[in-house]
Amino acid sequence: MLSRLLSQIFAISALSGAVLGCQVGCIEDGSGTTCSAKSLERFDGAPPPVQVFDRVPGAPVTIDVMYGNAVVQRSTSGKIEVQFAPFVYAGYGERARADQQLSQNLRATATTGTGVVATVRREGGSNGLGANVLVRLPDDFDGPIKIVNRGNGPLNHFDVKVEFVARASAITVTNDSQLGSCWIQGAPSVRNTTVQCGEDISVFDVSDQVSIENVEKRHDEDTPAVTLRLARVSPGSPGGRISSASGAIAATFPSAGGYVIDAKVPVKGVVQEGTLPQSCVKEEAGPAQKTIRCGQGPTYELTAGAAPDYIGQPSDSNVTLEYR
């Protein structure tokens, strides 16, 4: 991870608002890329008022962030609430320039039409300009959730964190922030889950169809690249695919219900099937390829460490299965 971080940010010397020593900092704006013997400093803008919207039954919520974190939490007002926290990375001590960009070049908007759409964009300014987005959902929200984090800026450490989904029907998350993780506390009502992320992916308590891909090729082996806890599998579910370019997959399946797990580790590692429920049987082609049949039902394909690019020997990318 360290080598990827260094290659990505080159000589930029700020992270999460911290200011480091005098180094060469590079940032892009309309005139091109400028590098100077200053470290980048994060300047926070004044947050605009919280925007409040009525829920429309079945209507979606969309979060589309150019640069920043995306967070979803529970609303206690019975409404959908949207809040932005603007910021910009600029040269150390360049407060006036930062304030100018925050007031003139940032477009953070929440609109209604087909559901509620929260968007962060830029019109001019530098690529260090962005905003964190916080959306709160009421308990009766029952539409799909779509989140896109574009990670378009000099530091790509921004996360997607979904702490509450109410009774959402589906969730789709794409996080192109290369050092950002995806953490999703779902619910059994979520019957279609799609997640693509470059760092740790954690998805809990969703149902049925899942498509999860971790694209990081040098994953930190201390934590799984993908953690999945599936709440239930309905008859007729399409099943799903869970994969990592590198790093382990830890998946928990229901102890009851019909499904098939096809798990494999193509490069280095093993499949650890755990203690099987009584209804399940194992077919083993080898330590790195196993099929678990728990009655009749959809197939879930798990592939760990399909395309690692570690320096030297690749780390183990195991598949670990549990049931509850």
Side-chain angles (χ1 to χ4, degrees):
M1 181 185 296
L2 178 60
S3 62
R4 183 167 58 86
L5 174 61
L6 293 174
S7 64
Q8 178 190 335
I9 68 173
F10 187 52
I12 297 175
S13 57
L15 182 62
S16 299
V19 180
L20 305 181
C22 184
Q23 301 179 18
V24 175
C26 301
I27 197 164
E28 296 178 5
D29 56 24
S31 61
T33 302
T34 301
C35 298
S36 62
K38 293 182 179 180
S39 52
L40 295 179
E41 181 178 2
R42 172 170 162 156
F43 299 91
D44 293 315
V50 177
Q51 299 179 63
V52 179
F53 303 92
D54 291 325
R55 178 192 74 92
V56 176
V61 161
T62 301
I63 304 172
D64 192 332
V65 186
M66 176 70 72
Y67 190 51
N69 295 308
V71 179
V72 180
Q73 296 177 343
R74 181 174 179 261
S75 168
T76 59
S77 68
K79 310 276 189 181
I80 297 174
E81 303 172 2
V82 180
Q83 188 171 10
F84 297 98
F87 63 86
V88 64
Y89 286 100
Y92 179 70
E94 295 182 352
R95 178 83 234 190
R97 173 169 167 74
D99 287 342
Q100 181 181 34
Q101 293 188 70
L102 288 165
S103 63
Q104 296 181 5
N105 302 119
L106 182 65
R107 301 292 181 264
T109 60
T111 58
T112 57
T114 305
V116 174
V117 180
T119 306
V120 176
R121 288 286 181 270
R122 309 182 188 111
E123 291 184 6
S126 76
N127 68 336
L129 186 63
N132 298 324
V133 183
L134 171 61
V135 173
R136 298 186 180 93
L137 302 176
D139 291 347
D140 57 356
F141 174 80
D142 60 353
I145 300 169
K146 180 179 180 180
I147 303 173
V148 178
N149 191 334
R150 300 183 184 275
N152 188 356
L155 299 172
N156 277 300
H157 60 283
F158 292 103
D159 300 328
V160 171
K161 187 171 186 179
V162 179
E163 301 176 6
F164 180 75
V165 299
R167 294 186 286 111
S169 58
I171 184 162
T172 301
V173 173
T174 302
N175 189 357
D176 290 329
S177 181
Q178 294 177 352
L179 299 179
S181 63
C182 297
W183 190 94
I184 299 162
Q185 176 57 62
S189 62
V190 180
R191 299 187 61 187
N192 191 336
T193 301
T194 301
V195 182
Q196 179 178 299
C197 197
E199 277 298 327
D200 291 358
I201 300 176
S202 299
V203 179
F204 301 104
D205 303 326
V206 297
S207 299
D208 296 338
Q209 185 173 5
V210 292
S211 177
I212 300 175
E213 181 183 14
N214 188 316
V215 298
E216 167 54 45
K217 294 189 174 184
R218 297 181 184 177
H219 186 78
D220 184 350
E221 62 183 299
D222 292 337
T223 58
V226 178
T227 300
L228 169 66
R229 188 169 67 207
L230 201 60
R232 68 186 179 206
V233 178
S234 304
S237 165
R241 294 183 177 181
I242 301 96
S243 67
S244 69
S246 66
I249 295 174
T252 301
F253 284 83
S255 57
Y259 55 82
V260 177
I261 304 170
D262 279 337
K264 61 183 178 180
V265 180
V267 178
K268 188 170 183 286
V270 298
V271 175
Q272 300 168 336
E273 71 274 13
T275 303
L276 300 182
Q278 290 185 349
S279 62
C280 301
V281 295
K282 176 181 68 171
E283 300 171 5
E284 184 171 355
Q289 185 172 356
K290 301 178 183 180
T291 298
I292 311 299
R293 297 187 184 276
C294 300
Q296 301 295 318
T299 298
Y300 293 87
E301 298 179 10
L302 281 64
T303 305
D309 187 24
Y310 292 105
I311 298 173
Q313 277 290 104
S315 300
D316 286 355
S317 298
N318 299 328
V319 174
T320 303
L321 301 175
E322 295 185 5
Y323 316 88
R324 71 166 197 170

